[in-house]
């Protein structure tokens, strides 16, 4: 009888553990992520960059007022989509301090790494960790400085990465996706195809807004992963350098705020 009870307990514990592990099992398969058109476009862009310079880019913005649509823009044309997919070839923290109530305007101060900010009005370097605008309570119950996360996404057959800035309200979903989804599947974020979608939420004050959702739809082969790594190094480096140069509007030696 003791042996039978012990055996039943072992079976029960095994079933419980099996159910828990279902949360982390990778049921994904390799997907046919076509980069043939991407390669041709990429080579043409590189040749033209030698004569004109610059870095091409597509931005993805979240519609305001709880409208669950992305606005994709290349600077000349805008299109709206409910969802899109691609490989995240790079990501980093970023901060921005906007004029009061003017989130669609240029920020007063911004940081491309979440560590050092550049005040575009004074040209000063600011330490994000000690900046009073980056403290809770500096804007009522929140912060004057918005902590965000920037993603660079390579869509299928497009050599121009899509830049998507995650607002503070979407950071928890992003962390959960990376840690509880991608990491436990033993994948790198650049090895999987991610689907981006939106869902509507309402704040305590009654304002409607959209939250980003992330979903793994498959993983890419080694050839695609290698190509994504190469295009990531060039596009992201050049994009960040260009953004920083635009912020530095005063040619003088600057000191970091302590």
């Amino acid at each position: 009888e003791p042996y039978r009870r012990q055996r039943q307990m072992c079976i029960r514990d095994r079933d419980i553990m099996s159910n828990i592990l279902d949360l982390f099992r990778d049921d994904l398969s390799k997907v046919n992520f076509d980069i043939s058109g991407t390669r041709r476009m990429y080579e043409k862009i590189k040749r033209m960059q030698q004569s004109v310079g610059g870095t091409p880019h597509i931005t993805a913005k979240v519609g305001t007022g709880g409208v669950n649509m992305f606005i994709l823009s290349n600077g000349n044309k805008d299109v709206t989509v409910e969802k899109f997919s691609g490989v995240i070839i790079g990501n980093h923290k970023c901060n921005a301090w906007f004029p009061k109530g003017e989130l669609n305007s240029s920020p007063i101060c911004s940081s491309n790494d979440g560590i050092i900010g550049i005040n575009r009005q004074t040209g000063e370097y600011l330490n994000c960790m000690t900046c009073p605008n980056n403290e809770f309570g500096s804007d009522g119950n929140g912060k004057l400085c918005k902590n965000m996360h920037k993603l660079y996404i390579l869509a299928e057959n497009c050599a121009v990465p899509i830049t998507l800035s995650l607002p503070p309200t979407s950071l928890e979903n992003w962390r959960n996706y990376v840690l509880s989804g991608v990491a436990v599947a033993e994948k790198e974020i650049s090895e999987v195809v991610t689907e981006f979608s939106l869902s509507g939420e309402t704040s305590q004050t009654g304002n409607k807004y959209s939250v980003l959702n992330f979903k793994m739809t498959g993983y890419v082969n080694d050839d695609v992963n290698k190509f994504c790594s190469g295009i990531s190094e060039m596009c992201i480096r050049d994009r960040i350098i260009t953004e920083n140069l635009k912020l530095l509007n005063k040619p003088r030696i600057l000191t970091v705020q302590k």
Side-chain angles (χ1 to χ4, degrees):
E1 181 66 22
Y3 173 77
R4 186 173 66 84
R5 286 200 303 268
Q6 184 178 14
R7 184 171 180 274
Q8 288 176 338
M9 290 176 62
C10 289
I11 294 174
R12 183 198 62 193
D13 292 344
R14 184 186 63 192
D15 291 341
I16 292 174
M17 182 57 67
S18 178
N19 290 336
I20 294 175
L21 290 177
D22 281 340
L23 293 171
F24 306 108
R25 287 199 175 97
D26 177 18
D27 295 326
L28 302 176
S29 59
K30 286 186 179 180
V31 294
N32 182 26
F33 193 80
D34 189 3
I35 59 171
S36 56
T38 306
R39 291 184 190 276
R40 293 192 300 270
M41 190 186 303
Y42 180 55
E43 292 302 321
K44 183 168 290 187
I45 289 173
K46 282 202 304 182
R47 288 197 300 271
M48 292 192 172
Q49 277 183 316
Q50 294 176 0
S51 59
V52 301
T55 302
H57 67 279
I58 298 172
T59 58
K61 294 184 178 180
V62 178
T64 59
V67 178
N68 298 326
M69 300 287 287
F70 292 100
I71 304 170
L72 303 180
S73 175
N74 65 357
N76 298 316
K77 182 180 179 181
D78 295 350
V79 296
T80 57
V81 296
E82 292 184 355
K83 61 177 67 174
F84 67 95
S85 299
V87 177
I88 300 173
I89 60 175
N91 70 94
H92 60 82
K93 294 179 179 179
C94 59
N95 295 332
W97 169 30
F98 294 93
K100 189 73 172 180
E102 300 179 23
L103 294 181
N104 292 324
S105 64
S106 298
I108 298 172
C109 179
S110 63
S111 168
N112 279 317
D113 57 11
I115 300 174
I116 300 297
I118 304 175
N119 187 319
R120 64 189 309 155
Q121 294 181 339
T122 65
E124 293 177 282
Y125 283 170
L126 302 173
N127 188 334
C128 294
M129 294 295 292
T130 59
C131 180
N133 292 330
N134 197 30
E135 295 180 358
F136 281 105
S138 58
D139 185 26
N141 294 325
K143 298 180 178 182
L144 282 172
C145 184
K146 305 302 178 186
N147 302 143
M148 300 176 288
H149 206 97
K150 189 167 288 188
L151 309 183
Y152 301 90
I153 306 152
L154 194 67
E156 195 168 14
N157 273 325
C158 180
V160 181
I162 299 171
T163 303
L164 173 63
S165 293
L166 308 182
T169 51
S170 296
L171 294 184
E172 184 176 357
N173 282 2
W174 165 247
R175 285 190 287 264
N176 288 340
Y177 174 64
V178 174
L179 298 177
S180 299
V182 179
V184 297
E186 299 184 9
K187 301 292 182 185
E188 296 292 336
I189 195 69
S190 59
E191 294 176 334
V192 302
V193 178
T194 301
E195 179 186 275
F196 303 85
S197 62
L198 296 164
S199 58
E201 299 287 345
T202 303
S203 69
Q204 294 179 349
T205 57
N207 294 323
K208 294 183 178 181
Y209 62 95
S210 297
V211 173
L212 276 126
N213 301 307
F214 311 89
K215 178 183 178 182
M216 279 190 293
T217 60
Y219 60 94
V220 300
N221 59 40
D222 293 339
D223 181 51
V224 173
N225 187 33
K226 183 178 179 180
F227 176 79
C228 288
S229 298
I231 198 172
S232 168
E233 182 178 351
M234 183 199 76
C235 292
I236 296 176
R237 181 196 64 230
D238 291 349
R239 182 74 177 138
I240 291 177
I241 290 175
T242 301
E243 289 177 351
N244 282 339
L245 288 176
K246 287 180 180 178
L247 293 174
L248 290 172
N249 55 8
K250 292 195 175 182
R252 58 190 178 87
I253 299 176
L254 306 173
T255 57
V256 177
Q257 175 190 10
K258 296 182 179 180

